[in-house]
Amino acid sequence: MKVLLLIALVVLIHGTNATLIIKGPTESILEGESVTLECLYTDSDLNVSQVHFEYLPPYQYSKTLWRKVWGSNLGRWYCYGGDDFYSEEEESSGRLHIPYPTRFSGVPFRCVSDNENATAPDNASEPLTFKVQYMRELSVSMEGYTSYLGVPQDLKVRLGDDVELKCSASSSEEPSYYWQKEGNDWILPSSTLTLKKVSTMDEGKYTCMAEHPSVKSLTKKRTISITLLPEDAAWYETTNGRLWLMTSAAAASLLVFILSVSVFLCRRAKRIRTSKGPIDDHSQKKPIYKSSAESLPSTCADKQPLV
């Protein structure tokens, strides 16, 4: 009997000293790769089916309000109707699969025990975060040119004009930018290319390159061709001139559409008012005699019907 009690005591102590850990990526991952998290016990044979995953949303002001992961709820929270997050055999294996982890980069995850005997902080693992490295497409903007339309591939400017081009890219870390002209060996380590009073020597193709500081394989480039026009060229022949024409035409079309709709609605309302006419009361069409039940009091003795 004493032997059985000793064995039970050892097992109890062994289970109490069990440590819950979470396993996942130990290094940065690239966008497009999936992530699998796993809950494990060390120094114990406890069943991992009695654990669940929790995460700390980045918008949370308090760093202690952890949220429990419920199937694909986390994916719907971050992406409208998406499946960015779902559990893979969570009930039996203690694993969590994230096929699109980019929006969860830097978000802490942890494993929490469902055992009633376990209390905080021993019932939870240390938080685990992973970082997703990415870089979006490179965009080039020009001073005086809207960034929504983007700079065209062929930029037409007049001789003597100033040109300022700026390239940018959304990235997990601030990229390094370089400008280079085709046929020249110079490299400008900057995101902005400025050409003052352009001449025939400045005509050509310019390439902007963005390089991720941590992942050298993440690079993006964009090439812009600068074409020179004569100094007395018409303003509408330049790229900026065409932009103003497009913007003015779009604004004029919108104004004409609004005026047309307004005139149509006004005319329709006017036709509805005029088509009703006077109220048609059939009771007033019947003659009213003095001796009738519908007659009106009168001091006259005429027998002519009142119409």
Side-chain angles (χ1 to χ4, degrees):
M1 186 66 179
K2 294 182 178 180
V3 175
L4 293 177
L5 290 176
L6 182 60
I7 294 176
L9 181 61
V10 171
V11 171
L12 180 62
I13 296 175
H14 187 63
T16 304
N17 293 334
T19 303
L20 187 61
I21 63 173
I22 181 171
K23 292 184 64 178
T26 56
E27 299 179 352
S28 300
I29 62 174
L30 295 179
E31 187 177 36
E33 299 178 355
S34 62
V35 170
T36 299
L37 304 180
E38 186 175 7
C39 291
L40 295 173
Y41 275 109
T42 60
D43 302 329
S44 176
D45 296 327
L46 294 178
N47 193 345
V48 291
S49 63
Q50 298 178 354
V51 299
H52 65 269
F53 290 90
E54 291 183 351
Y55 72 102
L56 191 62
Y59 56 83
Q60 197 68 261
Y61 295 103
S62 174
K63 298 303 181 182
T64 59
L65 298 179
W66 291 81
R67 290 181 178 270
K68 185 177 180 179
V69 175
W70 297 93
S72 62
N73 286 344
L74 191 58
R76 288 197 295 268
W77 183 272
Y78 280 87
C79 182
Y80 300 104
D83 293 322
D84 292 336
F85 188 98
Y86 69 89
S87 59
E88 180 184 87
E89 301 176 0
E90 181 180 355
E91 297 298 330
S92 59
S93 67
R95 288 183 298 174
L96 199 65
H97 184 65
I98 309 176
Y100 307 106
T102 301
R103 45 178 52 90
F104 302 110
S105 178
V107 175
F109 285 84
R110 71 176 183 177
C111 297
V112 180
S113 174
D114 295 326
N115 191 347
E116 297 179 355
N117 297 327
T119 58
D122 298 329
N123 66 330
S125 67
E126 291 293 327
L128 171 71
T129 59
F130 55 85
K131 187 172 184 179
V132 181
Q133 303 287 12
Y134 67 90
M135 181 184 289
R136 304 286 186 258
E137 290 299 325
L138 191 65
S139 63
V140 179
S141 59
M142 185 177 68
E143 185 179 3
Y145 202 87
T146 175
S147 58
Y148 294 101
L149 295 178
V151 177
Q153 197 75 17
D154 187 13
L155 187 62
K156 296 183 178 181
V157 296
R158 286 183 293 192
L159 186 68
D161 287 351
D162 295 336
V163 177
E164 183 175 314
L165 300 175
K166 182 178 179 63
C167 55
S168 60
S170 176
S171 177
S172 55
E173 298 179 13
E174 183 63 23
S176 300
Y177 297 98
Y178 305 92
W179 279 98
Q180 185 175 17
K181 183 181 179 182
E182 187 181 73
N184 290 42
D185 55 357
W186 60 264
I187 296 179
L188 177 66
S190 173
S191 61
T192 304
L193 173 68
T194 303
L195 301 176
K196 294 291 186 180
K197 299 186 180 301
V198 292
S199 62
T200 55
M201 298 292 294
D202 299 319
E203 193 173 21
K205 293 183 178 181
Y206 293 82
T207 299
C208 177
M209 177 179 294
E211 186 177 277
H212 197 281
S214 300
V215 185
K216 299 304 180 181
S217 60
L218 287 179
T219 58
K220 301 290 182 180
K221 61 174 59 179
R222 173 82 185 277
T223 301
I224 300 296
S225 178
I226 296 181
T227 302
L228 228 57
L229 299 176
E231 191 173 359
D232 57 349
W235 64 272
Y236 54 81
E237 295 182 6
T238 63
T239 301
N240 276 339
R242 292 183 179 180
L243 169 64
W244 282 106
L245 285 177
M246 292 172 56
T247 306
S248 302
S253 301
L254 181 60
L255 180 61
V256 170
F257 174 75
I258 294 175
L259 291 176
S260 302
V261 172
S262 302
V263 171
F264 171 77
L265 293 177
C266 291
R267 290 183 176 179
R268 183 182 179 185
K270 185 177 181 181
R271 285 198 302 267
I272 293 175
R273 288 197 302 268
T274 57
S275 63
K276 290 183 178 180
I279 300 176
D280 188 8
D281 190 354
H282 296 282
S283 62
Q284 298 300 324
K285 292 183 179 180
K286 183 172 65 175
I288 302 175
Y289 291 90
K290 183 179 180 181
S291 58
S292 65
E294 299 178 359
S295 63
L296 300 175
S298 176
T299 57
C300 301
D302 60 334
K303 297 182 179 181
Q304 297 295 326
L306 301 177
V307 180

